Amino acid sequence: MKIFSRASLLEREMDKIRLEMDTHYFGTLSVIRAFASIIEKNGGGTILNILSVLSWVSSLNEGGAYPAAKSAAWSLTNSLRLELASKNIRVAGLHVGYMDTDMTAGVTGPKSKPADIAKIAIDGIEVDSYEIIADDLSRNVQQRLSGGVKAIYQQRTRGNSTSISRIYLLP
């Protein structure tokens, strides 16, 4: 079964949506809970949570379940960062757009090489970064977050009313 289901939050079976949440939120939480005490007993360390640019934005092309799950994982990362700090455990999040993997085989746009992203992640951990921004797409979206929804999404308008049926991620 695919973990990246492209499931709509409104039109797909709930089991596909649960799979996304179980994988990206509860799966991440379960692994961190399993290893946190071991990391603490070893004097501390860093946990790197692999997030996505879709932690911050949604795309009609990607369905709603995956971005919702990744957004929940981003919030989880932020909460665990606070809970684990007193145990000398740093929790970092890696935000990345498209990497050249099986999951993005159908994507025709630019993709990062996994080895390059791994180096960026290690470099970020070495300088104690809490958020590691791995590519231009993620950097662009992160910079727009403070501008609110209008800065992140471009909406098509019809007359004086905004059509919410078409929302596009800005490049």
Side-chain angles (χ1 to χ4, degrees), residues 125-168:
I125 289 169
E126 286 178 347
V127 296
D128 293 332
S129 292
Y130 286 105
E131 279 195 318
I132 302 165
I133 312 304
D135 56 18
D136 290 339
L137 176 60
S138 299
R139 222 174 334 280
N140 184 336
V141 171
Q142 185 198 39
Q143 290 169 356
R144 292 172 188 247
L145 288 175
S146 64
V149 172
K150 286 186 179 182
I152 298 170
Y153 298 100
Q154 177 182 18
Q155 299 180 353
R156 220 179 245 181
T157 59
R158 293 184 186 140
N160 291 332
S161 65
T162 301
S163 168
I164 59 171
S165 65
R166 294 273 193 180
I167 299 179
Y168 301 92

Side-chain angles (χ1 to χ4, degrees), residues 13 34 40-44 53-54 57 71 79 84 87 93 100 102 104 115 117 127 138 141 151 153 156 160:
E13 303 85 12
E40 181 183 18
K41 286 176 189 171
N42 285 315
V53 69
L54 295 176
V57 295
S71 183
S79 295
L84 293 172
K87 299 173 189 287
D100 192 9
D102 291 345
T104 62
I117 299 302
V127 296
S138 299
V141 171
Y153 298 100
R156 220 179 245 181
N160 291 332

Side-chain angles (χ1 to χ4, degrees), residues 110-125:
K111 297 181 237 182
S112 300
K113 294 177 183 173
D116 294 343
I117 299 302
K119 182 178 180 342
I120 291 167
I122 296 297
D123 291 347
I125 289 169

